[in-house]
Amino acid sequence: MKEASVVAWDGPTRVFKWALVLVVVDGWISNRYGGGFPAWHKLNGYAALVLIVFRILWGFVGGSTARFGSFVAMPGKVMAYIADKKKFLGHNPLGGWMVVALLALVLAMATSGLFSGDEDRLIIDGPLAKTVSDAAVESATLWHRRIFTAIEIFVVVHVAANVIYALFSREPLIQAMITGRKPVDSYADMQAAEPGPWGRAFACLVVAAFIVLAPIYIVGGRLL
């Protein structure tokens, strides 16, 4: 008999998550192997920025479990969760802050990339690198690399935490982010998620693209 389930994550939220995974992986690939194609890495950076801005917008107007208000918790609530380990349909209070940290890191990495450049500024430079001093470009490049290292560490911790929950708490977190559903249970936040509509998600994506690309083109005079 098939186990009863409820909606945990709407489609736009799941598409965002896996698209961000692909963009981060592609960022590493394009940086390591795409030296002859600098536009590849730049386009990857734009994609990361658009996705993050989309997620910020979606965090206010998206599905119930995607909204920041449903998972960004005060320290007291985080400590209470650590003590009692209640089940949450969406992100638990501790996992919610991990999500915020990852979003902030990707945002910082992609933003620093706008001002980064190689040592001789001949192979690749960010679209806004020419608007700042050489010292600023050098600093942005250094932080661009450091932040990616931090992202690698956070991703390992994030994946490990999901695997541990799946094995010991029997919470199908990874499966739920693929299927969008979780088993019926007494969740502490809500019993079923209210999905965000695809039309609203598309509107958020268009707005995010404009917010990211228009200022870069206006200030830098170019995108590639």
Side-chain angles (χ1 to χ4, degrees):
M1 183 176 179
K2 188 176 181 179
E3 185 178 24
S5 63
V6 294
V7 175
W9 304 105
D10 57 29
T13 303
R14 286 179 284 133
V15 170
F16 158 78
K17 181 178 179 72
W18 296 114
L20 187 63
V21 170
L22 289 175
V23 164
V24 171
V25 172
D26 188 60
W28 178 82
I29 294 173
S30 62
N31 179 65
R32 189 172 182 84
Y33 302 106
F37 307 94
W40 177 10
H41 195 64
K42 290 182 181 181
L43 288 172
N44 181 271
Y46 296 147
L49 279 173
V50 170
L51 283 172
I52 294 299
V53 175
F54 162 81
R55 185 61 182 88
I56 292 172
L57 297 174
W58 196 241
F60 293 99
V61 302
S64 57
T65 51
R67 299 192 180 197
F68 295 126
S70 72
F71 64 84
V72 178
M74 298 299 288
K77 191 172 181 179
V78 175
M79 296 306 294
Y81 167 74
I82 294 174
D84 57 35
K85 293 293 191 302
K86 291 181 179 178
K87 289 185 178 182
F88 283 75
L89 182 66
H91 295 298
N92 63 57
L94 191 59
W97 280 108
M98 173 61 79
V99 170
V100 172
L102 285 169
L103 293 178
L105 284 170
V106 176
L107 176 61
M109 183 185 67
T111 301
S112 64
L114 298 175
F115 301 91
S116 299
D118 63 84
E119 186 176 355
D120 298 318
R121 310 283 291 277
L122 296 175
I123 299 176
I124 184 172
D125 62 339
L128 301 183
K130 293 181 179 179
T131 67
V132 297
S133 66
D134 289 343
V137 172
E138 184 178 346
S139 178
T141 304
L142 177 62
W143 279 105
H144 191 61
R145 294 169 181 165
R146 286 176 173 173
I147 294 169
F148 186 76
T149 299
I151 289 175
E152 290 179 309
I153 295 171
F154 272 73
V155 166
V156 170
V157 173
H158 184 59
V159 172
N162 278 272
V163 172
I164 290 172
Y165 271 93
L167 293 176
F168 296 99
S169 299
R170 299 191 179 279
E171 287 194 53
L173 300 182
I174 299 175
Q175 179 182 332
M177 192 52 72
I178 296 174
T179 65
R181 305 185 72 86
K182 279 187 175 182
V184 173
D185 208 331
S186 298
Y187 296 107
D189 49 351
M190 62 191 81
Q191 298 310 302
E194 178 184 344
W198 282 99
R200 188 184 302 166
F202 180 74
C204 286
L205 184 62
V206 172
V207 171
F210 180 80
I211 291 174
V212 170
L213 300 178
I216 293 173
Y217 183 77
I218 292 172
V219 176
R222 63 191 176 93
L223 291 176
L224 298 175

